[in-house]
Amino acid sequence: LLSVLGPQVFAVFLVILVITRNLQTTVLSLAFLGACVYHFRICPVSEKAVEAVLGRSAVVGHRGASRQAPENTLVAIRTAKQNGADSVEFDVEYTQDGVPVLLHDDTVDRTTNG
């Protein structure tokens, strides 16, 4: 039965069987769930079809290209631009004397040794 249903469906089968303690009710419930999944399935849509309806998605560099360069740095921002980002999201914090700095956290402890 496991090889026919697959592990996920078999697990659902066992849960329904434990709850109902009736094989006929379990089989009918599983058939009903299968019919619902089939009826309400989401068909895959091509990327071209999505672009035709929604237009091109904007590419935003999160804290610059933070996987390729230190986050919230000029290098990260330039790298994001080179990688085709349309815009860059970054965080601005202010020092105690009012100077704006690019920093996500309240302190520099996570990103520097300062």
Side-chain angles (χ1 to χ4, degrees), residues 16-52:
I16 295 172
L17 184 60
V18 167
I19 292 171
T20 64
R21 298 175 193 238
N22 183 310
L23 184 60
Q24 184 178 3
T25 303
T26 300
V27 170
L28 289 173
S29 298
L30 202 58
F32 175 74
L33 285 173
C36 288
V37 168
Y38 178 78
H39 181 72
F40 295 109
R41 71 190 180 282
I42 298 174
C43 298
V45 179
S46 72
E47 191 174 322
K48 287 183 180 182
V50 171
E51 280 188 18

